[in-house]
Amino acid sequence: MPQSAAQPAIQARLNNSQLGAVLKAALGVDKADYLFRMINVQGRLLAEPMDEAGQVSRLVLAQALNMVLFDGLLAAVPDGKAYCEDKLAADEAIIFDHGAIRTVDGPMTGELPRGYQAVARILIPLGFEVAGIYPLSRLKMTGRAFCHCDAPQLVAQFFVSELHVEQFSPAFGRAVANTIGGSVDPLSPGAKALLDQLSESGTISFADATKLLPVLVKCFGVHHGPVSEADYETLLAESPEMAWISTEGNAFNHATDRVRSIEDVASEQRAKGRPMKESIEISSTGLVRQTAFKAARVMRQMRNADGGLVTRDVPGSFYEFISRDYLCDDRTGEKKLDLRFDSSNAQGIFKMTAGNKAA
């Protein structure tokens, strides 16, 4: 890992904060140090001093979860990791804006709650709340933005979408049921009890926080067995988004870096030969602009007609870029970052996982 000129200061923040202590316990010292150097972490998130005999707030645990999930996304998206390594080498930090999760709204989700509730039951105890609902009608989906109550400008949001199975054909519904009907719930009774405690008091002990964090991370993954090739083709024909869920589950669909000039970033990345989306999505207000690397290609196992396993090349996750302008509060005159999303932008960005088609 490259060394940064700011390394001593970052190491001090890591060593002296409860967030650093939680990350070191979960990931080890080297990985925690790596993430602290890579991701911009503001002072309020470091205000709780290290105390392994003390309490961990929902704010700190939310930030720790975000950082671990961001690291997992980089492991799955080589172009995103290469971009972040370039930033790290230049001593420039990533501003983690949001991560995206896909869920299924239907009666056939096995042990998992249907739709966005599979994720909301984790996010709400951590201090997130629904800040906006976005119809994704072209995709027969709905998106919800979860923003952190305690530090909305500092903690990355979650954009959680759910696919409405009843809006598709009966054959599609059967393929969904075949694929995710046996889903298992990774959230143990003990983890649920700790989330209840977080909801009630806003804190849990350091020991409990280090036990809970790995369980929460597991919730953002695949909770069903391999999809059959026949079902995959049925899903793909009607919804590339559901086909993606069939192989990737509730993993981060993408993670997003907030940048000053999205046009400059896109040009720089194209010049480096990285596979960029051809266009930039611009919100109806003109304040939010988004683009992305094309999705990584991944090899996933599927069941064939004989019940055996075959390996298929399919789209995986991707790395996104966003620029946000400021809004002026008509009452106070205060300027605040526009943290909203845009339905048209989201549907354009979702095309990154639609297969081999250009977007």
Side-chain angles (χ1 to χ4, degrees):
M1 298 177 187
Q3 294 297 308
S4 162
Q7 176 65 24
I10 292 169
Q11 192 65 51
R13 292 159 64 202
L14 177 66
N15 288 337
N16 297 328
S17 68
Q18 197 71 311
L19 175 60
V22 171
L23 285 174
K24 285 191 287 185
L27 301 174
V29 174
D30 289 345
K31 178 64 77 171
D33 169 71
Y34 177 68
L35 291 178
F36 259 75
R37 287 186 288 120
M38 177 174 288
I39 300 172
N40 185 302
V41 182
Q42 295 293 317
R44 185 176 176 190
L45 302 175
L46 303 168
E48 295 178 33
M50 184 181 70
D51 181 4
E52 295 185 4
Q55 297 291 107
V56 175
S57 72
R58 67 183 190 177
L59 177 61
V60 163
L61 194 55
Q63 178 66 14
L65 175 63
N66 277 359
M67 293 174 76
V68 176
L69 293 178
F70 183 86
D71 183 59
L73 186 281
L74 294 189
V77 182
D79 289 311
K81 185 173 180 63
Y83 163 83
C84 290
E85 291 285 353
D86 287 348
K87 296 270 284 188
L88 186 58
D91 202 19
E92 298 174 3
I94 301 297
I95 299 178
F96 183 18
D97 184 87
H98 70 273
I101 310 293
R102 293 177 177 176
T103 67
V104 180
D105 176 32
M108 66 291 283
T109 55
E111 295 177 358
L112 295 176
R114 63 185 289 169
Y116 77 96
Q117 292 293 349
V119 180
R121 63 185 178 147
I122 296 166
L123 298 182
I124 291 173
L126 289 176
F128 292 89
E129 64 180 357
V130 176
I133 300 177
Y134 301 90
L136 309 174
S137 54
R138 296 201 303 269
L139 306 177
K140 301 178 183 178
M141 301 176 79
T142 299
R144 286 173 173 80
F146 284 80
C147 194
H148 205 278
C149 303
D150 302 333
Q153 303 280 326
L154 303 183
V155 178
Q157 297 184 76
F158 283 78
F159 189 85
V160 181
S161 59
E162 59 179 11
L163 180 137
H164 305 299
V165 177
E166 73 278 2
Q167 296 182 26
F168 294 85
S169 72
F172 181 92
R174 289 191 293 272
V176 172
N178 292 342
T179 302
I180 65 170
S183 295
V184 297
D185 188 357
L187 204 57
S188 64
K192 291 177 183 177
L194 290 175
L195 287 173
D196 288 342
Q197 183 180 332
L198 268 176
S199 293
E200 293 170 7
S201 66
T203 65
I204 56 176
S205 73
F206 180 88
D208 284 337
T210 58
K211 292 176 187 174
L212 179 60
L213 181 58
V215 179
L216 299 185
V217 172
K218 288 180 183 177
C219 293
F220 297 89
V222 181
H223 312 305
H224 56 267
V227 62
S228 76
E229 285 191 292
D231 285 334
Y232 183 81
E233 294 301 336
T234 298
L235 299 175
L236 185 62
E238 295 192 44
S239 171
E241 291 70 36
M242 184 63 224
W244 189 92
I245 295 170
S246 77
T247 62
E248 310 306 303
N250 303 130
F252 257 15
N253 173 255
H254 63 267
T256 308
D257 183 14
R258 190 188 309 153
V259 300
R260 284 196 182 93
S261 171
I262 204 159
E263 292 82 3
D264 288 349
V265 169
S267 296
E268 289 167 5
Q269 296 309 304
R270 287 195 188 97
K272 292 184 176 184
R274 291 173 185 153
M276 291 294 299
K277 189 178 189 299
E278 281 76 15
S279 60
I280 292 173
E281 304 292 336
I282 303 174
S283 68
S284 58
T285 64
L287 298 177
V288 181
R289 303 162 74 84
Q290 294 167 263
T291 193
F293 289 132
K294 294 180 180 179
R297 304 298 301 187
V298 295
M299 305 302 293
R300 295 290 184 256
Q301 288 191 325
M302 297 183 189
R303 290 180 287 109
N304 62 21
D306 299 324
L309 293 176
V310 295
T311 301
R312 290 273 297 267
D313 179 293
V314 299
S317 301
F318 63 95
Y319 192 90
E320 183 191 28
F321 305 92
I322 192 168
S323 63
R324 296 183 181 275
D325 288 336
Y326 284 83
L327 289 168
C328 186
D329 189 310
D330 292 335
R331 257 185 334 103
T332 65
E334 182 184 3
K335 287 188 174 182
K336 290 187 176 180
L337 198 66
D338 186 355
L339 294 176
R340 296 172 298 178
F341 292 87
D342 181 272
S343 292
S344 180
N345 276 20
Q347 291 174 110
I349 287 293
F350 273 31
K351 290 180 182 177
M352 303 316 298
T353 58
N356 293 317
K357 296 179 182 179

